Amino acid sequence: SPVANASFSLSESLGLVADLMDLTADYEKAIEAVLGERLRGIVVPDMDRLKKGVQQLQSLKNGRGTLILRDTPSSEQRRLWSQEENHAPSDGILGAAIAFVSPKPGYEDMVRRLLHGVLIVRDIDAAFTHWESMGVPTQSGRLLVTLAGEVITPSGIVSAGEISGLLEKKREMAVLSEETATLRREIEQTGTRL
């Protein structure tokens, strides 16, 4: 096939998932806990580039990567997302994860797809309380994540402990970049006065 003979270049990608959304520090651990390695996923614009990327990853034979298609979901999927995003905060539940993330323009649907079915809760006690009240958990389809980054799947699998802090590092780098730019401007202004 034509895809089999083509190679994939990072220049054909749209960026990493982590770089295509913004959020406040309060929600970094929760979002990172839910998305995990997908934050380092390479976003591609179409199926052709996705297939090329998969083939290239397969040919490397020593490592693994994640490719994420930026596609346009159906209007039915958008309707379901709209209902989910309106999940009212209650009893330790802060709301749907997507409500706390600001996707870059053009990546809204992709970020919604990644965070579909995720509720952010205050803490692990609230998560356990909500999980126990869901009845048959696998039917609710809600993944719960705390502000500290603990995750409870609908089937009762719990993940806890420290996470890598990729989003925190990204935010810190942005702050340092701003501070550096400010200092450079101050140095330039001081230099022109001398």
Side-chain angles (χ1 to χ4, degrees):
S1 82
V3 171
N5 298 323
S7 68
F8 174 77
S9 165
L10 283 180
S11 65
E12 297 178 78
S13 76
L14 301 171
L16 300 180
V17 169
D19 295 330
L20 300 175
M21 66 175 85
D22 294 314
L23 59 154
T24 63
D26 294 344
Y27 301 99
E28 288 171 348
K29 286 185 179 181
I31 298 301
E32 186 161 349
V34 168
L35 294 181
E37 283 302 309
R38 289 175 286 179
L39 283 170
R40 291 177 177 82
I42 299 169
V43 180
V44 295
D46 55 45
M47 189 58 81
D48 183 51
R49 288 184 187 91
L50 180 71
K51 289 176 182 178
K52 288 177 188 178
V54 168
Q55 183 174 29
Q56 187 165 351
L57 288 170
Q58 291 170 333
S59 71
L60 294 176
K61 307 269 189 231
N62 64 345
R64 191 166 179 84
T66 301
L67 300 169
I68 299 171
L69 182 63
R70 182 191 78 175
D71 62 354
T72 305
S74 68
S75 58
E76 175 62 17
Q77 184 63 53
R78 284 195 176 123
R79 187 185 64 73
L80 292 172
W81 285 340
S82 177
Q83 290 173 348
E84 177 180 289
E85 289 169 22
N86 294 326
H87 192 284
S90 65
D91 211 18
I93 298 171
L94 303 177
I98 190 64
F100 303 103
V101 175
S102 298
K104 302 281 186 203
Y107 297 92
E108 298 88 352
D109 289 341
M110 182 198 70
V111 173
R112 280 186 182 97
R113 192 174 71 242
L114 290 171
L115 294 174
H116 177 69
V118 177
L119 291 178
I120 296 182
V121 295
R122 181 185 61 245
D123 54 34
I124 195 67
D125 291 333
F128 285 141
T129 299
H130 184 69
W131 185 81
E132 289 173 335
S133 73
M134 288 192 294
V136 180
T138 54
Q139 290 178 355
S140 76
R142 298 295 184 140
L143 188 136
L144 306 173
V145 61
T146 70
L147 290 173
E150 294 100 1
V151 177
I152 302 178
T153 68
S155 58
I157 298 168
V158 179
S159 299
E162 284 301 308
I163 54 177
S164 70
L166 175 67
L167 293 175
E168 180 181 10
K169 289 173 186 151
K170 177 186 162 214
R171 180 179 42 81
E172 288 171 353
M173 287 173 48
V175 168
L176 288 172
S177 182
E178 276 182 39
E179 289 174 0
T180 301
T182 300
L183 289 172
R184 284 194 175 137
R185 283 191 299 275
E186 290 174 8
I187 290 170
E188 287 172 9
Q189 290 171 357
T190 303
T192 57
R193 286 187 285 203
L194 296 175

